[in-house]
Amino acid sequence: MQKYNYFVKYPIEIKGKTNRQVTKLNLSGRGLKEFPENVFEYTNLTKLVLSNNRIKVIPKEILKLKKLKILDLANNDITILQSAVFKLPKLRTLNVYGNKIKSLI
């Protein structure tokens, strides 16, 4: 049985750094059911790891992360993969292993 850390504060706050200074964010294994709402304020993210959670939907706001090169969503509960993800101009790695993807829209 996997343990989840339910004591993480959301929205995300990274002490000592402004939103623009954060380029990598690892929120894996936190029991998240959705993307934290303010993750899209980190517009300089190049790597976002949300693996091993319970996320069901990739929100359209993902397009705000124009510098994203790596998006790791492995082992979540995603069933529909929005084609909007493929419009991210710098995206080179999309990991959706271990999801139950049934359709691409």
Side-chain angles (χ1 to χ4, degrees), residues 5-12 27 30 32:
N5 181 356
Y6 292 102
F7 302 103
V8 176
K9 290 187 177 184
Y10 297 103
I12 304 300
L27 300 171
R30 309 262 180 160
L32 297 173

Side-chain angles (χ1 to χ4, degrees), residues 23-84:
T23 58
K24 296 176 183 174
L25 196 53
N26 185 343
L27 300 171
S28 61
R30 309 262 180 160
L32 297 173
K33 292 182 181 179
E34 57 190 29
F35 280 61
E37 64 184 53
N38 76 322
V39 77
F40 307 109
E41 295 172 15
Y42 294 95
T43 55
N44 284 330
L45 279 181
T46 58
K47 182 176 183 179
L48 178 58
V49 179
L50 290 163
S51 60
N52 299 302
N53 282 294
R54 297 179 294 181
I55 295 171
K56 294 182 180 197
V57 176
I58 303 169
K60 63 182 182 244
E61 290 85 3
I62 194 78
L63 294 175
K64 293 180 181 178
L65 303 178
K66 296 187 185 310
K67 296 183 180 182
L68 204 59
K69 293 180 182 177
I70 299 169
L71 179 57
D72 187 347
L73 296 166
N75 301 308
N76 276 285
D77 295 328
I78 298 167
T79 56
I80 298 171
L81 186 59
Q82 281 87 351
S83 60

